[in-house]
Amino acid sequence: MSQSISVVEARQKLGEILNRVALEREEIIIERAGRKIARLSPASSPSI
């Protein structure tokens, strides 16, 4: 399941978001002005 966050929130909480993606294998959608602009998802290999 993915969660959407704003660009502002992504900027403020980048470290926390990266941990959620890498460790919890969560997908994050980043939005600007209500439009999806980017997706952060775990790399295919967990041992990066």
Side-chain angles (χ1 to χ4, degrees), residues 29-44:
I29 305 295
I30 300 174
E31 296 182 345
R32 178 186 291 148
R35 297 181 64 185
K36 296 176 182 178
I37 61 167
R39 175 184 358 201
L40 293 174
S41 59
S44 59

Side-chain angles (χ1 to χ4, degrees), residues 13-47:
K13 300 179 180 180
L14 182 60
E16 175 187 327
I17 291 166
L18 290 175
N19 283 339
R20 287 170 44 193
V21 170
L23 303 174
E24 299 174 23
R25 313 296 290 169
E26 191 174 330
E27 182 177 89
I28 306 288
I29 305 295
I30 300 174
E31 296 182 345
R32 178 186 291 148
R35 297 181 64 185
K36 296 176 182 178
I37 61 167
R39 175 184 358 201
L40 293 174
S41 59
S44 59
S45 174
S47 62

Side-chain angles (χ1 to χ4, degrees), residues 4-19:
S4 295
I5 61 169
S6 70
V7 170
V8 173
E9 184 178 359
R11 186 180 302 131
Q12 292 171 344
K13 300 179 180 180
L14 182 60
E16 175 187 327
I17 291 166
L18 290 175
N19 283 339

